[in-house]
């Protein structure tokens, strides 16, 4: 079984913010898989387990707010006995240019508080993650205000393509060996 967990914050005021890009990717996958209506379980909105291409998959949008995401993901993983290497965390990354994707097998949180919470809950750095670049905050701008801010007009025009590529990357991770998925997802876009 696999778990795909898109990180974000609950509430209308956060819906289109940079910090909620993980939720946007899960929404795209829900549409792609025609997963239907979520239920509330594991302190999350959840879909599944679903069977996609023969793989049992749970989709999660933790409702715990970003900084406590690990609680929700760990609860679902314990319930279904899913090891960390079969969990994919989808989150925003200000260290990547807007629209860039980076799939990794393991590593540090890079300062991303939701990912830090997940790594802490599992007590390991060996959790795959798909980082979606939202761009660095402009000089003189507060980091929290930047990630909790909405995308600019030009970014909003490109955002559907970014979300589409990220969702495809998640599906590649489900279907392939992680090394092959990384070569597909991390390849430069034209």
């Amino acid at each position: 079984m696999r778990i795909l967990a898109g990180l974000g914050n609950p509430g209308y005021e956060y819906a289109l913010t940079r910090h909620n890009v993980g939720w946007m990717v899960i929404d795209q996958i829900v549409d792609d898989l025609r997963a239907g209506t979520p239920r509330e379980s594991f302190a999350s909105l959840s879909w599944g387990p679903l069977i996609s291409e023969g793989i049992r998959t749970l989709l999660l949008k933790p409702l715990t707010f970003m900084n406590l995401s690990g609680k929700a993901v760990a609860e679902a993983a314990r319930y279904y006995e899913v090891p960390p290497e079969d969990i994919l965390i989808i989150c925003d990354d200000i260290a990547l240019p807007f629209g860039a994707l980076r799939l990794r097998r393991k590593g540090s949180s890079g300062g991303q508080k939701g990912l830090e919470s997940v790594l802490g809950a599992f007590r390991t750095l060996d959790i795959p993650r798909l980082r979606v670049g939202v761009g660095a905050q402009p000089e003189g701008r507060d980091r929290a205000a930047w990630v909790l801010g909405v995308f600019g007009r030009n970014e909003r025009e490109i955002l559907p393509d970014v979300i589409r590529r990220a969702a495809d990357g998640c599906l590649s991770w489900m279907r392939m060996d992680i090394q092959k998925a990384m070569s597909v997802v991390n390849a430069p876009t034209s």
Side-chain angles (χ1 to χ4, degrees), residues 8-85:
N9 287 314
Y12 179 76
E13 65 273 27
Y14 301 111
L16 297 175
T17 65
R18 289 174 181 81
H19 231 14
N20 271 39
V21 76
W23 275 30
M24 294 176 202
V25 173
I26 291 294
D27 288 340
Q28 181 65 59
I29 295 168
V30 165
D31 287 348
D32 292 348
L33 300 180
R34 295 182 179 95
T37 306
R39 62 182 180 177
E40 211 168 308
S41 57
F42 313 114
S44 303
L45 293 178
S46 66
W47 292 262
L50 313 162
I51 304 294
S52 175
E53 299 195 29
I55 300 165
R56 203 163 162 236
T57 305
L58 180 70
L59 306 175
L60 287 180
K61 286 171 49 174
L63 296 171
T64 53
F65 285 92
M66 180 68 74
N67 296 358
L68 300 173
S69 298
K71 175 185 181 290
V73 177
E75 186 179 328
R78 273 192 306 274
Y79 182 83
Y80 288 108
E81 299 178 351
V82 177
E85 63 270 13

Side-chain angles (χ1 to χ4, degrees), residues 66-136:
M66 180 68 74
N67 296 358
L68 300 173
S69 298
K71 175 185 181 290
V73 177
E75 186 179 328
R78 273 192 306 274
Y79 182 83
Y80 288 108
E81 299 178 351
V82 177
E85 63 270 13
D86 288 334
I87 299 168
L88 181 66
I89 304 300
I90 306 122
C91 62
D92 62 290
D93 190 334
I94 63 169
L96 290 175
F98 175 77
L101 302 177
R102 289 295 171 267
L103 178 63
R104 295 285 184 255
R105 176 191 312 260
K106 61 183 179 177
S108 73
S109 70
Q112 211 285 352
K113 300 296 184 188
L115 184 54
E116 187 175 296
S117 174
V118 172
L119 298 175
F122 285 89
R123 297 180 181 181
T124 183
L125 300 179
D126 296 339
I127 298 177
R129 74 285 314 268
L130 177 64
R131 295 174 177 265
V132 181
V134 296

